[in-house]
Amino acid sequence: KAGSKASVADLPMLAKRSMPLCMSNMHTKLVETHHLKHKARNQFGLFLKGIGLTVEESYQVWRSNFTKDPAMNAEKWQKEYAYGIRYNYGLEGKRTNWTPHSCQRIIMEPGTNAASGEHHGCPFKTFDEVQLRAQLQQMGVAGTEANFILDKARGQHYQVACGKYFEAKHKGTTLIETEISGISHPNQYFEKSNEFYEK
Ligand code: SF4
């Protein structure tokens, strides 16, 4: 239903269906490596808060994935990572109700280097062409649409590339031609996708 909040159990489905590439990439890396570094925890964590996960549900997502690493257990996780989640929800420190980062902020964030295990950032900027094409293909986007996206990424029009990616994954939408020139916020992408499926 419209405005319904995401649930933890639905995350794998939502990652494939309704998350923009930045967030589905971080979700994949979290599941595959049982870890995300600080900046990715911040970007993906605030995104999860933005799609409606409560602080308890966020604990569940991060803890269940991190503790799949044999070097991590629930107690250690609690000590090292629970604070950061509570902080994002405004329950620690300055008690600021932090908002999810915009595309502009994510695109400008330095230090994205997958080789050193950094998976934050906008993939349309941080992935090289081979990697981006493979990633698009994996998400079912190929052919002329993939070419268009790669062309926009090459020209540093990352948010337009993302808008086209949305169109390619939501057949019949004409986001970048009629509605908006590009995606401005990962949570906007997510909400638009949900609207599409809830129609
Ligand atoms: Fe994420 Fe925005 Fe980049 Fe799209 S344009 S992948 S929503 S940062």
Side-chain angles (χ1 to χ4, degrees), residues 20-23 102-104 106-107 121-125 158-163 183-187 189:
L21 206 52
C22 52
M23 299 301 161
S102 66
C103 292
Q104 204 157 9
I106 292 173
I107 288 166
C122 175
F124 298 107
K125 179 182 180 186
Y158 310 121
Q159 292 163 265
V160 179
C162 188
I183 298 295
S184 60
H185 200 292
N187 290 84
Y189 180 112

PDB file of all heavy atoms in Angstrom, residues 20-23 102-104 106-107 121-125 158-163 183-187 189, ligand 1:
ATOM      1  N   PRO A  20      17.956   2.101  -5.572  1.00  0.00           N
ATOM      2  CA  PRO A  20      18.874   2.562  -6.617  1.00  0.00           C
ATOM      3  C   PRO A  20      20.183   1.774  -6.523  1.00  0.00           C
ATOM      4  O   PRO A  20      20.450   1.112  -5.510  1.00  0.00           O
ATOM      5  CB  PRO A  20      19.076   4.035  -6.273  1.00  0.00           C
ATOM      6  CG  PRO A  20      18.796   4.143  -4.817  1.00  0.00           C
ATOM      7  CD  PRO A  20      17.762   3.096  -4.506  1.00  0.00           C
ATOM      8  N   LEU A  21      20.989   1.878  -7.560  1.00  0.00           N
ATOM      9  CA  LEU A  21      22.189   1.050  -7.671  1.00  0.00           C
ATOM     10  C   LEU A  21      23.163   1.255  -6.502  1.00  0.00           C
ATOM     11  O   LEU A  21      23.804   0.302  -6.050  1.00  0.00           O
ATOM     12  CB  LEU A  21      22.888   1.359  -8.999  1.00  0.00           C
ATOM     13  CG  LEU A  21      23.757   0.282  -9.610  1.00  0.00           C
ATOM     14  CD1 LEU A  21      23.024  -1.041  -9.725  1.00  0.00           C
ATOM     15  CD2 LEU A  21      24.263   0.724 -10.987  1.00  0.00           C
ATOM     16  N   CYS A  22      23.259   2.487  -5.999  1.00  0.00           N
ATOM     17  CA  CYS A  22      24.174   2.740  -4.861  1.00  0.00           C
ATOM     18  C   CYS A  22      23.773   1.876  -3.676  1.00  0.00           C
ATOM     19  O   CYS A  22      24.627   1.239  -3.036  1.00  0.00           O
ATOM     20  CB  CYS A  22      24.165   4.223  -4.479  1.00  0.00           C
ATOM     21  SG  CYS A  22      22.526   4.927  -4.192  1.00  0.00           S
ATOM     22  N   MET A  23      22.483   1.846  -3.376  1.00  0.00           N
ATOM     23  CA  MET A  23      22.014   1.148  -2.184  1.00  0.00           C
ATOM     24  C   MET A  23      21.963  -0.364  -2.395  1.00  0.00           C
ATOM     25  O   MET A  23      22.316  -1.128  -1.489  1.00  0.00           O
ATOM     26  CB  MET A  23      20.635   1.681  -1.758  1.00  0.00           C
ATOM     27  CG  MET A  23      20.650   3.159  -1.410  1.00  0.00           C
ATOM     28  SD  MET A  23      21.809   3.532  -0.061  1.00  0.00           S
ATOM     29  CE  MET A  23      22.040   5.304  -0.294  1.00  0.00           C
ATOM     30  N   SER A 102      21.588  12.986   0.280  1.00  0.00           N
ATOM     31  CA  SER A 102      21.130  13.234  -1.099  1.00  0.00           C
ATOM     32  C   SER A 102      22.147  12.672  -2.092  1.00  0.00           C
ATOM     33  O   SER A 102      23.293  12.374  -1.722  1.00  0.00           O
ATOM     34  CB  SER A 102      21.000  14.739  -1.336  1.00  0.00           C
ATOM     35  OG  SER A 102      22.294  15.327  -1.279  1.00  0.00           O
ATOM     36  N   CYS A 103      21.738  12.573  -3.353  1.00  0.00           N
ATOM     37  CA  CYS A 103      22.656  12.118  -4.403  1.00  0.00           C
ATOM     38  C   CYS A 103      23.884  13.015  -4.473  1.00  0.00           C
ATOM     39  O   CYS A 103      25.006  12.528  -4.580  1.00  0.00           O
ATOM     40  CB  CYS A 103      21.968  12.134  -5.764  1.00  0.00           C
ATOM     41  SG  CYS A 103      20.688  10.900  -5.890  1.00  0.00           S
ATOM     42  N   GLN A 104      23.649  14.309  -4.413  1.00  0.00           N
ATOM     43  CA  GLN A 104      24.768  15.234  -4.531  1.00  0.00           C
ATOM     44  C   GLN A 104      25.821  14.957  -3.453  1.00  0.00           C
ATOM     45  O   GLN A 104      27.011  14.919  -3.738  1.00  0.00           O
ATOM     46  CB  GLN A 104      24.245  16.652  -4.390  1.00  0.00           C
ATOM     47  CG  GLN A 104      25.149  17.653  -5.048  1.00  0.00           C
ATOM     48  CD  GLN A 104      24.397  18.927  -5.399  1.00  0.00           C
ATOM     49  OE1 GLN A 104      23.231  19.120  -5.002  1.00  0.00           O
ATOM     50  NE2 GLN A 104      25.034  19.793  -6.138  1.00  0.00           N
ATOM     51  N   ILE A 106      26.252  12.127  -1.812  1.00  0.00           N
ATOM     52  CA  ILE A 106      26.857  10.803  -2.035  1.00  0.00           C
ATOM     53  C   ILE A 106      27.880  10.870  -3.167  1.00  0.00           C
ATOM     54  O   ILE A 106      28.966  10.296  -3.081  1.00  0.00           O
ATOM     55  CB  ILE A 106      25.749   9.760  -2.325  1.00  0.00           C
ATOM     56  CG1 ILE A 106      24.917   9.536  -1.049  1.00  0.00           C
ATOM     57  CG2 ILE A 106      26.345   8.440  -2.815  1.00  0.00           C
ATOM     58  CD1 ILE A 106      23.693   8.660  -1.233  1.00  0.00           C
ATOM     59  N   ILE A 107      27.529  11.619  -4.208  1.00  0.00           N
ATOM     60  CA  ILE A 107      28.426  11.742  -5.369  1.00  0.00           C
ATOM     61  C   ILE A 107      29.722  12.469  -4.975  1.00  0.00           C
ATOM     62  O   ILE A 107      30.805  12.126  -5.440  1.00  0.00           O
ATOM     63  CB  ILE A 107      27.696  12.456  -6.537  1.00  0.00           C
ATOM     64  CG1 ILE A 107      26.655  11.508  -7.143  1.00  0.00           C
ATOM     65  CG2 ILE A 107      28.677  12.929  -7.609  1.00  0.00           C
ATOM     66  CD1 ILE A 107      25.648  12.174  -8.065  1.00  0.00           C
ATOM     67  N   GLY A 121      29.208   5.594  -2.068  1.00  0.00           N
ATOM     68  CA  GLY A 121      29.306   6.407  -3.280  1.00  0.00           C
ATOM     69  C   GLY A 121      28.314   6.007  -4.341  1.00  0.00           C
ATOM     70  O   GLY A 121      27.547   5.057  -4.183  1.00  0.00           O
ATOM     71  N   CYS A 122      28.337   6.777  -5.425  1.00  0.00           N
ATOM     72  CA  CYS A 122      27.417   6.556  -6.552  1.00  0.00           C
ATOM     73  C   CYS A 122      28.100   5.681  -7.596  1.00  0.00           C
ATOM     74  O   CYS A 122      29.092   6.093  -8.188  1.00  0.00           O
ATOM     75  CB  CYS A 122      27.049   7.912  -7.169  1.00  0.00           C
ATOM     76  SG  CYS A 122      26.038   7.762  -8.655  1.00  0.00           S
ATOM     77  N   PRO A 123      27.594   4.471  -7.843  1.00  0.00           N
ATOM     78  CA  PRO A 123      28.252   3.556  -8.786  1.00  0.00           C
ATOM     79  C   PRO A 123      28.394   4.133 -10.199  1.00  0.00           C
ATOM     80  O   PRO A 123      29.312   3.756 -10.921  1.00  0.00           O
ATOM     81  CB  PRO A 123      27.330   2.335  -8.814  1.00  0.00           C
ATOM     82  CG  PRO A 123      26.551   2.421  -7.546  1.00  0.00           C
ATOM     83  CD  PRO A 123      26.409   3.871  -7.234  1.00  0.00           C
ATOM     84  N   PHE A 124      27.501   5.048 -10.575  1.00  0.00           N
ATOM     85  CA  PHE A 124      27.619   5.637 -11.910  1.00  0.00           C
ATOM     86  C   PHE A 124      28.892   6.481 -12.014  1.00  0.00           C
ATOM     87  O   PHE A 124      29.383   6.755 -13.091  1.00  0.00           O
ATOM     88  CB  PHE A 124      26.369   6.466 -12.250  1.00  0.00           C
ATOM     89  CG  PHE A 124      25.128   5.625 -12.291  1.00  0.00           C
ATOM     90  CD1 PHE A 124      24.176   5.688 -11.282  1.00  0.00           C
ATOM     91  CD2 PHE A 124      24.933   4.708 -13.322  1.00  0.00           C
ATOM     92  CE1 PHE A 124      23.038   4.886 -11.304  1.00  0.00           C
ATOM     93  CE2 PHE A 124      23.799   3.889 -13.353  1.00  0.00           C
ATOM     94  CZ  PHE A 124      22.859   3.980 -12.344  1.00  0.00           C
ATOM     95  N   LYS A 125      29.412   6.880 -10.863  1.00  0.00           N
ATOM     96  CA  LYS A 125      30.681   7.609 -10.823  1.00  0.00           C
ATOM     97  C   LYS A 125      31.854   6.697 -10.472  1.00  0.00           C
ATOM     98  O   LYS A 125      32.917   6.776 -11.075  1.00  0.00           O
ATOM     99  CB  LYS A 125      30.585   8.734  -9.786  1.00  0.00           C
ATOM    100  CG  LYS A 125      31.854   9.543  -9.657  1.00  0.00           C
ATOM    101  CD  LYS A 125      31.720  10.602  -8.585  1.00  0.00           C
ATOM    102  CE  LYS A 125      33.010  11.405  -8.464  1.00  0.00           C
ATOM    103  NZ  LYS A 125      32.940  12.348  -7.340  1.00  0.00           N
ATOM    104  N   TYR A 158      25.651  11.715 -13.679  1.00  0.00           N
ATOM    105  CA  TYR A 158      25.359  10.501 -12.908  1.00  0.00           C
ATOM    106  C   TYR A 158      23.875  10.369 -12.560  1.00  0.00           C
ATOM    107  O   TYR A 158      23.311   9.287 -12.596  1.00  0.00           O
ATOM    108  CB  TYR A 158      26.199  10.479 -11.631  1.00  0.00           C
ATOM    109  CG  TYR A 158      27.657  10.743 -11.888  1.00  0.00           C
ATOM    110  CD1 TYR A 158      28.310  11.813 -11.294  1.00  0.00           C
ATOM    111  CD2 TYR A 158      28.385   9.926 -12.761  1.00  0.00           C
ATOM    112  CE1 TYR A 158      29.647  12.071 -11.551  1.00  0.00           C
ATOM    113  CE2 TYR A 158      29.718  10.172 -13.032  1.00  0.00           C
ATOM    114  CZ  TYR A 158      30.341  11.251 -12.419  1.00  0.00           C
ATOM    115  OH  TYR A 158      31.658  11.509 -12.680  1.00  0.00           O
ATOM    116  N   GLN A 159      23.258  11.494 -12.221  1.00  0.00           N
ATOM    117  CA  GLN A 159      21.862  11.439 -11.790  1.00  0.00           C
ATOM    118  C   GLN A 159      20.906  11.191 -12.971  1.00  0.00           C
ATOM    119  O   GLN A 159      19.830  10.627 -12.781  1.00  0.00           O
ATOM    120  CB  GLN A 159      21.515  12.714 -11.027  1.00  0.00           C
ATOM    121  CG  GLN A 159      22.250  12.777  -9.689  1.00  0.00           C
ATOM    122  CD  GLN A 159      22.282  14.164  -9.094  1.00  0.00           C
ATOM    123  OE1 GLN A 159      23.244  14.908  -9.271  1.00  0.00           O
ATOM    124  NE2 GLN A 159      21.217  14.535  -8.407  1.00  0.00           N
ATOM    125  N   VAL A 160      21.335  11.597 -14.152  1.00  0.00           N
ATOM    126  CA  VAL A 160      20.546  11.276 -15.352  1.00  0.00           C
ATOM    127  C   VAL A 160      20.706   9.784 -15.675  1.00  0.00           C
ATOM    128  O   VAL A 160      19.733   9.102 -16.011  1.00  0.00           O
ATOM    129  CB  VAL A 160      20.982  12.148 -16.563  1.00  0.00           C
ATOM    130  CG1 VAL A 160      20.175  11.778 -17.805  1.00  0.00           C
ATOM    131  CG2 VAL A 160      20.826  13.626 -16.240  1.00  0.00           C
ATOM    132  N   ALA A 161      21.933   9.303 -15.536  1.00  0.00           N
ATOM    133  CA  ALA A 161      22.176   7.870 -15.741  1.00  0.00           C
ATOM    134  C   ALA A 161      21.279   7.066 -14.805  1.00  0.00           C
ATOM    135  O   ALA A 161      20.669   6.062 -15.196  1.00  0.00           O
ATOM    136  CB  ALA A 161      23.647   7.541 -15.479  1.00  0.00           C
ATOM    137  N   CYS A 162      21.165   7.531 -13.579  1.00  0.00           N
ATOM    138  CA  CYS A 162      20.338   6.844 -12.582  1.00  0.00           C
ATOM    139  C   CYS A 162      18.853   6.911 -12.958  1.00  0.00           C
ATOM    140  O   CYS A 162      18.114   5.947 -12.779  1.00  0.00           O
ATOM    141  CB  CYS A 162      20.588   7.474 -11.212  1.00  0.00           C
ATOM    142  SG  CYS A 162      19.814   6.608  -9.850  1.00  0.00           S
ATOM    143  N   GLY A 163      18.433   8.042 -13.509  1.00  0.00           N
ATOM    144  CA  GLY A 163      17.051   8.190 -13.970  1.00  0.00           C
ATOM    145  C   GLY A 163      16.735   7.203 -15.085  1.00  0.00           C
ATOM    146  O   GLY A 163      15.660   6.604 -15.129  1.00  0.00           O
ATOM    147  N   ILE A 183      17.659  11.677 -10.955  1.00  0.00           N
ATOM    148  CA  ILE A 183      17.347  11.319  -9.570  1.00  0.00           C
ATOM    149  C   ILE A 183      18.113  12.276  -8.644  1.00  0.00           C
ATOM    150  O   ILE A 183      19.278  12.565  -8.882  1.00  0.00           O
ATOM    151  CB  ILE A 183      17.769   9.856  -9.306  1.00  0.00           C
ATOM    152  CG1 ILE A 183      16.984   8.888 -10.214  1.00  0.00           C
ATOM    153  CG2 ILE A 183      17.623   9.485  -7.835  1.00  0.00           C
ATOM    154  CD1 ILE A 183      15.497   8.827  -9.959  1.00  0.00           C
ATOM    155  N   SER A 184      17.463  12.752  -7.612  1.00  0.00           N
ATOM    156  CA  SER A 184      18.152  13.680  -6.707  1.00  0.00           C
ATOM    157  C   SER A 184      18.396  13.082  -5.321  1.00  0.00           C
ATOM    158  O   SER A 184      19.185  13.603  -4.550  1.00  0.00           O
ATOM    159  CB  SER A 184      17.370  14.989  -6.574  1.00  0.00           C
ATOM    160  OG  SER A 184      16.082  14.717  -6.063  1.00  0.00           O
ATOM    161  N   HIS A 185      17.697  11.973  -5.050  1.00  0.00           N
ATOM    162  CA  HIS A 185      17.836  11.389  -3.713  1.00  0.00           C
ATOM    163  C   HIS A 185      17.540   9.885  -3.779  1.00  0.00           C
ATOM    164  O   HIS A 185      16.545   9.496  -4.381  1.00  0.00           O
ATOM    165  CB  HIS A 185      16.852  12.076  -2.752  1.00  0.00           C
ATOM    166  CG  HIS A 185      17.226  11.912  -1.319  1.00  0.00           C
ATOM    167  ND1 HIS A 185      17.167  10.696  -0.682  1.00  0.00           N
ATOM    168  CD2 HIS A 185      17.695  12.798  -0.408  1.00  0.00           C
ATOM    169  CE1 HIS A 185      17.580  10.847   0.569  1.00  0.00           C
ATOM    170  NE2 HIS A 185      17.903  12.115   0.755  1.00  0.00           N
ATOM    171  N   PRO A 186      18.382   9.056  -3.160  1.00  0.00           N
ATOM    172  CA  PRO A 186      18.117   7.616  -3.195  1.00  0.00           C
ATOM    173  C   PRO A 186      16.741   7.248  -2.639  1.00  0.00           C
ATOM    174  O   PRO A 186      16.098   6.319  -3.134  1.00  0.00           O
ATOM    175  CB  PRO A 186      19.217   7.024  -2.313  1.00  0.00           C
ATOM    176  CG  PRO A 186      20.293   8.042  -2.297  1.00  0.00           C
ATOM    177  CD  PRO A 186      19.631   9.371  -2.443  1.00  0.00           C
ATOM    178  N   ASN A 187      16.301   7.969  -1.630  1.00  0.00           N
ATOM    179  CA  ASN A 187      14.980   7.657  -1.063  1.00  0.00           C
ATOM    180  C   ASN A 187      13.848   8.094  -1.996  1.00  0.00           C
ATOM    181  O   ASN A 187      12.770   7.491  -1.986  1.00  0.00           O
ATOM    182  CB  ASN A 187      14.829   8.268   0.327  1.00  0.00           C
ATOM    183  CG  ASN A 187      15.718   7.565   1.341  1.00  0.00           C
ATOM    184  OD1 ASN A 187      16.900   7.894   1.459  1.00  0.00           O
ATOM    185  ND2 ASN A 187      15.197   6.568   2.034  1.00  0.00           N
ATOM    186  N   TYR A 189      14.139   7.846  -5.280  1.00  0.00           N
ATOM    187  CA  TYR A 189      14.135   6.719  -6.222  1.00  0.00           C
ATOM    188  C   TYR A 189      13.287   5.583  -5.644  1.00  0.00           C
ATOM    189  O   TYR A 189      12.412   5.022  -6.314  1.00  0.00           O
ATOM    190  CB  TYR A 189      15.580   6.253  -6.457  1.00  0.00           C
ATOM    191  CG  TYR A 189      15.735   5.080  -7.417  1.00  0.00           C
ATOM    192  CD1 TYR A 189      16.339   5.236  -8.651  1.00  0.00           C
ATOM    193  CD2 TYR A 189      15.274   3.804  -7.069  1.00  0.00           C
ATOM    194  CE1 TYR A 189      16.475   4.159  -9.531  1.00  0.00           C
ATOM    195  CE2 TYR A 189      15.406   2.727  -7.931  1.00  0.00           C
ATOM    196  CZ  TYR A 189      16.014   2.914  -9.158  1.00  0.00           C
ATOM    197  OH  TYR A 189      16.148   1.853 -10.020  1.00  0.00           O
TER     198      TYR A 189
HETATM  199 FE1  SF4 B   1      22.412   6.567  -5.775  1.00  0.00          FE
HETATM  200 FE2  SF4 B   1      21.815   9.029  -6.511  1.00  0.00          FE
HETATM  201 FE3  SF4 B   1      23.842   7.727  -7.669  1.00  0.00          FE
HETATM  202 FE4  SF4 B   1      21.334   7.064  -8.161  1.00  0.00          FE
HETATM  203  S1  SF4 B   1      22.332   9.028  -8.684  1.00  0.00           S
HETATM  204  S2  SF4 B   1      23.008   5.641  -7.725  1.00  0.00           S
HETATM  205  S3  SF4 B   1      20.374   7.366  -6.182  1.00  0.00           S
HETATM  206  S4  SF4 B   1      23.715   8.388  -5.536  1.00  0.00           S
END
